[in-house]
Amino acid sequence: MPKFYGYKRCSTSQNAQKWFDDKGISYDFQDLVETPPEKDLLLSWLTKYQDRGLRYFFNTSGQHYRQMGLKDKLPNMTTEEAADLLSKDGKLIKRPLVVDDQHLTCGFKEEVYEQTWK
């Protein structure tokens, strides 16, 4: 069963949840703002899916991202530093983040979900 890290007040998370619900796909929801994924977990995902780049995991349109000036810092950031930041502030994570043993997606694009989570 996929683990769904979302934010209840985020329309993108709500749309992704609706997609799962409409398809009858079960998932385990965790509020990533209240309880972000642990650093070790994030580090394993950032490493396993490193071909996507660190930017893939960050909510680049979020206020926290802009306030921290991460656009300029991200290119020189280590995987360890990124995992540490993301684990301390769930609003930095692009949402929803959905993961199981074989797949991981950040954000919601229906065509990606059709290919990945069906």
Side-chain angles (χ1 to χ4, degrees):
M1 175 183 335
K3 182 79 167 192
F4 186 107
Y5 295 92
Y7 182 43
K8 291 179 195 274
R9 295 175 54 195
C10 169
S11 61
T12 306
S13 289
Q14 292 168 0
N15 290 337
Q17 279 185 277
K18 182 179 179 336
W19 185 91
F20 273 103
D21 293 342
D22 288 350
K23 302 287 183 194
I25 301 170
S26 299
Y27 56 90
D28 180 21
F29 181 87
Q30 181 171 323
D31 189 306
L32 61 72
V33 174
E34 290 176 14
T35 314
E38 294 180 12
K39 181 180 177 181
D40 292 346
L41 215 44
L42 284 157
L43 192 56
S44 71
W45 298 333
L46 292 170
T47 303
K48 183 175 181 180
Y49 299 99
Q50 64 185 326
D51 60 320
R52 300 180 189 184
L54 293 178
R55 190 174 188 276
Y56 179 77
F57 294 87
F58 279 84
N59 178 10
T60 57
S61 60
Q63 287 183 336
H64 291 199
Y65 181 86
R66 290 193 304 267
Q67 288 168 352
M68 295 173 77
L70 292 177
K71 179 182 178 187
D72 299 324
K73 296 175 185 172
L74 208 53
N76 300 314
M77 194 177 288
T78 67
T79 305
E80 179 94 18
E81 290 168 331
D84 190 50
L85 264 180
L86 294 168
S87 70
K88 290 178 178 170
D89 185 351
K91 286 195 174 179
L92 288 175
I93 300 171
K94 186 172 185 172
R95 51 190 186 254
L97 186 155
V98 184
V99 63
D100 67 10
D101 293 337
Q102 301 167 26
H103 307 95
L104 180 141
T105 56
C106 285
F108 175 64
K109 289 187 176 156
E110 193 164 346
E111 61 275 8
V112 173
Y113 271 46
E114 286 289 340
Q115 291 175 352
T116 308
W117 300 113
K118 203 146 192 200

